[in-house]
Amino acid sequence: MRQMRRARCQGLLVLVLAAMTFCSPASSQSAIDLNCGLEPGPRRAVSEVIDGDTLRLDDGKVIRLVGALAPRGRDAVGRINTSGHVPYSSWPPALAARAALLKLVGGQSVALAFAGRRVDRYDRVLAHLFVSEGTNTVWVQGRMLDTGHARAYALPDSDSCLAELVTREAAARKAGAGLWAHAAYQIRPADRPTELALFVNTFQLVRGQIAHARRSRRLTIVDLASSEGRPAGNDGRLRGAFRIVWTHTLARRAGLPRATDLIGRTVLVRGWITARRGPEITLIAAGDLAIDD
C-alpha cells in the first residue's frame, strides 16, 4: 500500500512539473501566443532540410515555411549563368540559411500550425512550425527572421503573422544580421526603374516617393518618382516609372489608405518584381506596403 501511495505521488509530481513547464511564460511561443489566427496541427519529425525554407517530414510531406523567404541563387542578379541564376551550391546566403534551419529543426519533432491556404502550386504544405529548444518553444519562422536568414513575404490567401514577421525583419535589417549584410539584399531605390528592371522575377524591397495615383475599374496604380527624366503622359502618369499595384478588393479587405492620400509620401514596398509598361510590384497583403517617411 505504501509503495502504491509513493507511485501515485511520484506520478502526480511528474504531472505538476509537466504542467509548470507547459504553462511557464518563458517556455511558450505557441500558435495561440502569436495571436494571428493559426490553427494548431499535428506533431511530426523532420527527416530532411532541403533548403532555408523547405523541409521534409517523416511522413514524406514537404513543408514550406510560409511567410519566411530564404535566399536563392537567382537573387544574385549580375552573376547570371546559363540556367538563369547562380547555382544554389555556390550562393553563400542560401547555404547559411539552410545551415541555420538544419541546426534548428534537423531531426527534431516539430508542431505544425496553419492559416489560409494549406498547399501551394507545387503540392508543398504551407505551415508555421514550432520546435522545442530546452524549456522554450521556438517559432521557426520567427527565428529565421530574427537571425537574418529569411525575409518576410505573403502569398495570396496566406498572409497570417506577416505583421509580426515584418517587425522581426526590420530589427534584423537594422542590425545587419545574416543576409542583410549582403549587397544583393539592399533596399532598392524606386527612382531608378531601369535598374529595377534587372530584378524582374526576384523578390525585392523597394523604397521611393509616390508621385502619381490613379484607379482603373479593378486596380489602384501608383507611380513612384523617377530620376531618369521619363516624360509624363497627358494624365500625369510617369511613363516607365516603377509602379505599385493593388486591387480594390485588397484595399477594402486590408484597409489600405486611399492612393491620393499617399502622393508625396515615401513608402517601402515588398514583393516580386514583374514588368508590363515598367517594373512593378503587386501587393498581396496590407503588410507589403509601409509608409516610410
Side-chain angles (χ1 to χ4, degrees):
M1 182 67 71
R2 186 177 299 172
Q3 289 178 340
M4 290 177 64
R5 287 201 198 101
R6 184 180 301 159
R8 285 198 199 99
C9 290
Q10 289 174 341
L12 181 60
L13 179 59
V14 168
L15 290 173
V16 170
L17 290 174
M20 290 172 62
T21 300
F22 181 78
C23 297
S24 169
S27 71
S28 277
Q29 190 173 33
S30 69
I32 295 173
D33 295 330
L34 284 174
N35 194 30
C36 46
L38 297 183
E39 178 185 339
R43 290 184 64 84
R44 305 297 310 186
V46 175
S47 64
E48 179 187 5
V49 172
I50 298 170
D51 57 32
D53 53 34
T54 315
L55 50 85
R56 193 184 311 277
L57 301 179
D58 56 352
D59 59 2
K61 291 180 180 177
V62 175
I63 303 296
R64 180 73 171 77
L65 297 182
V66 63
L69 183 68
R72 277 133 172 82
R74 64 174 174 267
D75 300 336
V77 175
R79 296 179 60 205
I80 305 296
N81 66 10
T82 55
S83 66
H85 58 82
V86 174
Y88 177 92
S89 60
S90 63
W91 187 233
L95 297 178
R98 181 184 182 277
L101 185 59
L102 180 63
K103 182 178 180 181
L104 182 60
V105 303
Q108 301 296 315
S109 295
V110 293
L112 282 67
F114 308 98
R117 292 172 58 195
R118 293 203 180 193
V119 179
D120 69 9
R121 58 179 176 171
Y122 304 109
D123 291 327
R124 298 175 301 190
V125 176
L126 300 173
H128 291 265
L129 297 187
F130 299 84
V131 64
S132 296
E133 190 175 70
T135 59
N136 295 330
T137 300
V138 175
W139 179 30
V140 174
Q141 275 92 330
R143 175 64 63 81
M144 295 297 285
L145 269 292
D146 289 339
T147 55
H149 290 302
R151 292 172 290 175
Y153 84 107
L155 288 173
D157 302 318
S158 189
D159 59 358
S160 296
C161 303
L162 181 62
E164 174 66 20
L165 290 168
V166 167
T167 298
R168 290 171 182 251
E169 177 194 274
R173 188 169 67 245
K174 183 177 180 180
L179 62 85
W180 300 112
H182 199 291
Y185 300 97
Q186 64 186 296
I187 294 176
R188 309 286 175 186
D191 64 350
R192 287 179 270 179
T194 300
E195 179 180 315
L196 285 173
L198 298 174
F199 297 93
V200 168
N201 298 325
T202 67
F203 186 92
Q204 300 292 334
L205 272 65
V206 180
R207 178 185 287 126
Q209 186 180 66
I210 293 179
H212 181 264
R214 60 192 182 278
R215 287 168 58 96
S216 69
R217 188 176 69 175
R218 192 175 63 88
L219 301 174
T220 296
I221 305 165
V222 300
D223 300 326
L224 276 71
S226 173
S227 62
E228 296 181 352
R230 295 177 181 268
N234 293 333
D235 59 358
R237 288 185 293 178
L238 303 179
R239 300 193 186 282
F242 174 75
R243 309 191 314 178
I244 306 171
V245 179
W246 62 87
T247 65
H248 302 328
T249 300
L250 174 64
R252 289 192 297 269
R253 178 172 61 83
L256 289 173
R258 291 191 307 174
T260 52
D261 293 339
L262 293 174
I263 293 176
R265 305 296 299 271
T266 298
V267 296
L268 177 66
V269 62
R270 69 184 58 243
W272 278 267
I273 294 183
T274 58
R276 290 182 176 84
R277 296 181 180 179
E280 66 181 49
I281 286 177
T282 299
L283 301 187
I284 294 172
D288 289 335
L289 180 72
I291 297 174
D292 202 40
D293 55 15

